[in-house]
Amino acid sequence: MQITLTRPDDWHVHLRDGQALATTVPHTARQFARAIVMPNLRPPVTTVALAAEYRARIVAHLPRDTRFEALMTLYLTDGTPPEEIRRAADSGFVHAVKLYPAGATTHSDAGVTDLQRCAATLDAMAELGVPLLVHGEVTDPEVDVFDRESVFIERILQPLLSRHPGLRVVLEHITTSDAVDFVAACGPEVAATITAHHLLYNRNAIFAGGVRAHYYCLPVLKRESHRRALLRAASSGSPKFFLGTDSAPHARKTKEAACGCAGCYTAYAALELYAEAFASVTALDRLEAFASFHGADFYRLPRNTDQVTIERSDWQAPESYDYLATESLVPLRAGEWLRWKMLG
Ligand code: NCD
Ligand code: ZN
């Protein structure tokens, strides 16, 4: 069986920088026409000028004859001035601003400590229609790690939306039925991305026979009832839910460690993993809208016009990819079987 669909876009990816781009850029550009590129580098991408330089480094790693557009984002800090938002809106290549609560995840120490400090900047975003992309987890160590998303919605996101009506928000990589329900109940200015790994796995995957570092990401995988709710949302046909892989590479030794990094690498077979998830609920006919239409519509960008074809055939994922010159990168499903294969 083969399925041909409009070429998809990835509305949330970590490409990293330097030599990492030699691995990540070809993988993402092979599947996707465009990708929203996360700004959590060290130091973070906090200005339009830094985003322009980062974009040039990405473009330099594009394989010959590959058409791919890196949609850049800025990393919001307590000190991001409203003028930077104006520059972003005028740039034509910065498409969103990312909120990392300080300390929530990988490279988030420069993140926002108190959103009230960003009020004028958020007003400028609402006025200019620049979306705020939200890592939706509280950082309060008292809050159970499995509850951090739902507590964030209640304590931070709901009040934020009340303070800034009209602000366009994407709640990124949602993991709970609470997030699904919240986003579904909001107006059209609020949407969400969903990863392939949160559609395919529940939290048992992290502990199957021992600690499985490569299934550890943030927000952490949740229980089965939440996975089911995500699958229903992704395949519902609602334009509020769209594809964002959150593919987040880390060198093998930094994941397989006493204190391992959070992040799953899925970009090498992203569409195949999503196809498997949609097939599991006999919703392959809904994959194209989720992967190729809803995100473009939300970002007010044209839908892609070329196509990709995936085929139902088993193939074995590589054990690892070369990474950062001397490191290796273990993809999600390493050495295991994938059920769909993208042609070309
Ligand atoms: C991301 C990373 O490694 O940059 N990690 C992850 O587990 N998703 C950061 C993030 O998106 O939280
Ligand atoms: Zn991410």
Side-chain angles (χ1 to χ4, degrees):
M1 180 164 87
Q2 290 193 348
I3 300 172
T4 295
L5 59 154
T6 302
R7 185 177 290 280
D9 302 302
D10 184 351
W11 300 100
H12 182 128
V13 71
H14 299 269
L15 296 178
R16 311 302 190 206
D17 204 355
Q19 265 304 110
L21 297 173
T23 308
T24 59
V25 171
H27 282 170
T28 290
R30 175 173 172 257
Q31 299 216 332
F32 299 105
R34 299 170 289 202
I36 283 277
V37 180
M38 287 298 121
N40 62 331
L41 305 182
R42 276 223 158 103
V45 182
T46 49
T47 64
V48 175
L50 286 170
E53 290 170 19
Y54 182 28
R55 182 168 173 253
R57 296 195 295 277
I58 293 167
V59 170
H61 283 86
L62 278 177
R64 222 178 263 275
D65 300 328
T66 306
R67 279 177 44 196
F68 171 77
E69 195 180 350
L71 309 172
M72 307 309 290
T73 60
L74 299 187
Y75 184 114
L76 186 68
T77 70
D78 288 353
T80 306
E83 297 75 58
E84 202 61 44
I85 304 302
R86 296 212 168 80
R87 275 191 284 277
D90 289 343
S91 73
F93 61 87
V94 174
H95 292 266
V97 174
K98 178 72 190 272
L99 163 66
Y100 288 103
T105 185
T106 308
H107 300 173
S108 64
D109 29 293
V112 172
T113 62
D114 180 356
L115 266 173
Q116 314 261 14
R117 298 194 174 150
C118 303
T121 303
L122 294 166
D123 282 340
M125 290 173 61
E127 181 197 323
L128 296 166
V130 177
L132 179 70
L133 314 184
V134 176
H135 183 106
E137 289 191 290
V138 289
T139 55
D140 181 349
E142 299 288 308
V143 176
D144 190 285
V145 68
F146 292 101
D147 296 335
R148 287 184 188 173
E149 184 174 273
S150 52
V151 173
F152 179 91
I153 291 170
E154 191 183 301
R155 282 195 201 163
I156 314 279
L157 186 54
Q158 179 71 267
L160 170 74
L161 293 171
S162 308
R163 288 198 304 276
H164 300 276
L167 181 65
R168 311 184 68 236
V169 170
V170 183
L171 188 53
E172 299 287 345
H173 41 54
I174 59 170
T175 61
T176 59
S177 60
D178 312 76
V180 167
D181 294 345
F182 179 82
V183 169
C186 287
E189 71 283 2
V190 179
T193 53
I194 305 179
T195 78
H197 45 287
H198 288 100
L199 292 174
L200 287 168
Y201 296 101
N202 65 36
R203 63 194 189 181
N204 286 353
I206 312 167
F207 306 107
V211 177
R212 305 273 182 162
H214 297 287
Y215 290 90
Y216 172 58
C217 65
L218 287 172
V220 73
L221 294 170
K222 303 296 191 301
R223 64 167 65 241
E224 177 64 6
S225 56
H226 293 297
R227 186 184 77 87
R228 293 259 150 210
L230 297 175
L231 265 175
R232 277 194 300 275
S235 61
S236 68
S238 163
K240 291 170 150 285
F241 301 102
F242 42 85
L243 185 158
T245 61
D246 194 21
S247 180
H250 291 278
R252 171 179 218 138
K253 69 176 185 219
T254 64
K255 283 208 61 85
E256 298 174 8
C259 185
C261 294
C264 298
Y265 188 68
T266 54
Y268 77 107
L271 193 57
E272 290 92 330
L273 292 165
Y274 280 105
E276 184 176 319
F278 276 66
S280 75
V281 288
T282 52
L284 279 168
D285 58 323
R286 297 284 172 91
L287 179 62
E288 184 181 44
F290 173 80
S292 317
F293 298 160
H294 297 163
D297 296 351
F298 181 86
Y299 277 87
R300 299 171 176 163
L301 293 169
R303 293 178 180 181
N304 298 317
T305 49
D306 63 329
Q307 296 181 314
V308 295
T309 299
I310 53 172
E311 151 182 294
R312 173 68 197 88
S313 82
D314 293 336
W315 61 288
Q316 210 172 1
E319 294 287 352
S320 70
Y321 289 102
D322 291 340
Y323 191 58
L324 292 174
T326 58
E327 304 292 336
S328 67
L329 170 60
V330 179
L332 194 83
R333 282 280 176 86
E336 293 177 47
W337 292 91
L338 291 159
R339 299 178 59 76
W340 291 84
K341 191 162 180 43
M342 197 178 119
L343 305 181

